Amino acid sequence: MKHITCIDDLRTLHQRRVPKAFFDYCDRGSYAEETLRANREDMQAIKFRQRILVDVSKRDTSTTILGEPSTMPLILAPVGLLGMQHGDGEIHACRAAQAAGIPFTQSTMSICSIEDIAASVEKPFWFQLYVMKDRGFIKELIQRAMAAKCSALVLTVDLQVIGQRHADIKNGMTVPPEWSLSKLLDFASKPAWVSGVLQGKRRTFGNIAGHVKNTEDLNRLAEWTASQFDTSLNWKDVEWVRSIWPGKLIIKGILDVEDAEEAAKTGAQALVVSNHGGRQLDGAPSSIEVLPEIADAVGDRMEIMFDGGIRSGQDVMRALALGAKSCMIGRAYAYGLGAGGQAGVAKAIDIIQKELLTTMGLCGVNRIDEIDDHVIAV
């Protein structure tokens, strides 16, 4: 990791070390990928005011997230199938986040189970929930998160209908993988990845295994999962989740002011401005485009988190300046995981923190709570 200087370097290494189907699953978006590109292009279009001769000798990235101390305003977002980027990927990512002093969010669609992670780390982590048709299973999943002492529940609400990801179809991306000669050759060229995944605790969806009968039939398990995303999901279901979950609730997937207003009525402590990383509604606006109006509308009633296109500390600064209190990264740390396991995730976090510190200094800012739209060039 000595010569890694930025998140793009980790992406390049990830692409080299992980089979194409799993790299593309992480890297690509839905349909024509217009929203995926907009997340980055709109972010990069935001320019800073460079300030000089300001005493910035006491810069500090520490803050609080949902009332808990954090070394910086950064959260590892829920990312499915981390255990197929690197063996036991969820555990390694959680350990890296906790060592850095920031939150980690486990995905419902993770390879390691809630219990696997809880047994392998020292502190509570966050759990992300998809509400599926089988409400009994979802209630049980929430109770498992409670038993594991998860400190927040991230309810993702923008996956009722799944946007088509062309790359996944072309690659035959399934768990477990569809086998073909090209895949066998691809896997054979990456022996370290194969060894790591084979040594991992699991190679299927750990939170679901055991719930569906005959879970040794992985195709049956995949079919059940695909059939469970619920198009009838609505705000009453958020109330139902709230009635079971006693802790902090975060609603992820808000991209519209009216939806933000509804979210503020639920009793949730936070919302995440997110378009699912450009993996759902292609043609939706970038997350950064809608962030200011959502923050203006409900930022005094709930904590605003941001997700979508963060690849640097400069991007974190941009989101904070436009109203976010903290930011989630997904691809940025998944690249690190694929590139180098726990050390790669730690490197991604370290890169972003150092870039944020530098950007704060060059904009004349010492503390996170000083960052507002005054650091943005008009």
Side-chain angles (χ1 to χ4, degrees), residues 5-7 40 43 48 61 72-74 309-321 327 329 332 348-360 363 368 371:
T5 62
C6 60
I7 298 300
R40 292 296 302 130
M43 184 76 79
F48 296 111
T61 63
M72 64 184 119
L74 195 70
I310 298 285
R311 299 289 187 278
S312 67
Q314 291 90 339
D315 293 339
V316 172
M317 183 91 158
R318 290 172 171 121
L320 297 181
C327 296
I329 55 170
I349 295 168
D350 182 62
I351 286 169
I352 289 175
Q353 183 172 33
K354 287 177 177 174
E355 290 172 341
L356 177 58
L357 269 171
T358 298
T359 308
M360 289 168 65
C363 291
I368 294 300
I371 301 171

Side-chain angles (χ1 to χ4, degrees), residues 224-246:
W224 179 87
T225 302
S227 72
Q228 281 294 310
F229 290 100
D230 191 353
T231 55
S232 72
L233 191 70
N234 60 73
W235 289 106
K236 290 186 180 299
D237 294 302
V238 178
E239 294 177 15
W240 176 74
V241 169
R242 175 80 276 181
S243 73
I244 303 168
W245 174 256

Side-chain angles (χ1 to χ4, degrees), residues 98-120:
Q98 293 188 351
I102 64 174
F104 167 80
T105 318
Q106 182 192 9
S107 170
T108 291
M109 308 309 295
S110 61
I111 299 300
C112 291
S113 69
I114 299 172
E115 294 78 11
D116 292 337
I117 300 178
S120 303

Side-chain angles (χ1 to χ4, degrees), residues 132-152:
M132 298 179 177
K133 292 178 182 176
D134 186 340
R135 295 295 198 268
F137 171 63
I138 296 307
K139 183 176 181 179
E140 177 188 317
L141 205 53
I142 295 170
Q143 291 170 337
R144 288 168 63 186
M146 292 162 57
K149 297 182 169 54
C150 290
S151 52

Side-chain angles (χ1 to χ4, degrees), residues 34-323:
E34 294 173 9
T35 299
L36 174 67
R37 289 190 296 273
N39 276 349
R40 292 296 302 130
E41 291 168 358
D42 291 354
M43 184 76 79
Q44 291 171 320
I46 299 167
K47 305 303 179 186
F48 296 111
R49 291 176 67 199
Q50 179 174 302
R51 305 303 304 277
I52 60 170
L53 298 178
V54 177
D55 181 354
V56 289
S57 61
K58 297 180 180 178
R59 283 166 293 141
D60 182 3
T61 63
S62 65
T63 186
T64 60
I65 300 176
L66 292 180
E68 297 294 326
S70 182
T71 57
M72 64 184 119
L74 195 70
I75 302 152
L76 298 196
V79 177
L81 308 186
L82 286 179
M84 300 308 290
Q85 304 296 343
H86 185 92
D88 289 338
E90 292 86 5
I91 292 171
H92 290 296
C94 188
R95 285 173 173 168
Q98 293 188 351
I102 64 174
F104 167 80
T105 318
Q106 182 192 9
S107 170
T108 291
M109 308 309 295
S110 61
I111 299 300
C112 291
S113 69
I114 299 172
E115 294 78 11
D116 292 337
I117 300 178
S120 303
V121 301
E122 297 178 355
K123 301 174 186 176
F125 52 93
W126 296 2
F127 182 71
Q128 175 267 337
L129 181 73
Y130 292 123
V131 177
M132 298 179 177
K133 292 178 182 176
D134 186 340
R135 295 295 198 268
F137 171 63
I138 296 307
K139 183 176 181 179
E140 177 188 317
L141 205 53
I142 295 170
Q143 291 170 337
R144 288 168 63 186
M146 292 162 57
K149 297 182 169 54
C150 290
S151 52
L153 188 72
V154 179
L155 178 61
T156 297
V157 293
D158 59 356
L159 209 76
Q160 290 167 269
V161 177
I162 300 177
Q164 179 169 296
R165 298 153 197 172
H166 296 337
D168 290 351
I169 294 174
K170 291 175 180 176
N171 290 328
M173 225 304 293
T174 60
V175 177
E178 276 182 10
W179 292 108
S180 65
L181 178 59
S182 63
K183 276 200 178 66
L184 287 170
L185 293 173
D186 189 12
F187 284 24
S189 70
K190 298 169 176 67
W193 175 87
V194 171
S195 175
V197 169
L198 288 178
Q199 291 178 52
K201 295 178 184 297
R202 302 175 190 273
R203 284 166 292 283
T204 186
F205 298 119
N207 290 321
I208 297 170
H211 175 72
V212 183
K213 291 182 180 179
N214 301 319
T215 52
E216 66 276 5
D217 182 346
L218 295 173
N219 288 326
R220 178 183 171 87
L221 187 61
E223 288 171 7
W224 179 87
T225 302
S227 72
Q228 281 294 310
F229 290 100
D230 191 353
T231 55
S232 72
L233 191 70
N234 60 73
W235 289 106
K236 290 186 180 299
D237 294 302
V238 178
E239 294 177 15
W240 176 74
V241 169
R242 175 80 276 181
S243 73
I244 303 168
W245 174 256
K248 296 169 184 175
L249 179 66
I250 303 162
I251 299 178
K252 182 176 183 288
I254 303 296
L255 213 61
D256 183 271
V257 170
E258 288 186 24
D259 289 338
E261 293 282 1
E262 289 297 319
K265 299 174 185 176
T266 64
Q269 283 74 26
L271 65 78
V272 186
V273 177
S274 173
N275 55 34
H276 215 99
R279 293 164 64 79
Q280 281 294 92
L281 177 59
D282 199 31
S286 67
S287 296
I288 200 69
E289 180 183 344
V290 301
L291 172 62
E293 59 182 346
I294 291 175
D296 286 345
V298 300
D300 60 340
R301 286 175 275 168
M302 57 197 315
E303 226 168 272
I304 306 298
M305 299 173 179
F306 176 84
D307 169 67
I310 298 285
R311 299 289 187 278
S312 67
Q314 291 90 339
D315 293 339
V316 172
M317 183 91 158
R318 290 172 171 121
L320 297 181
L322 295 183

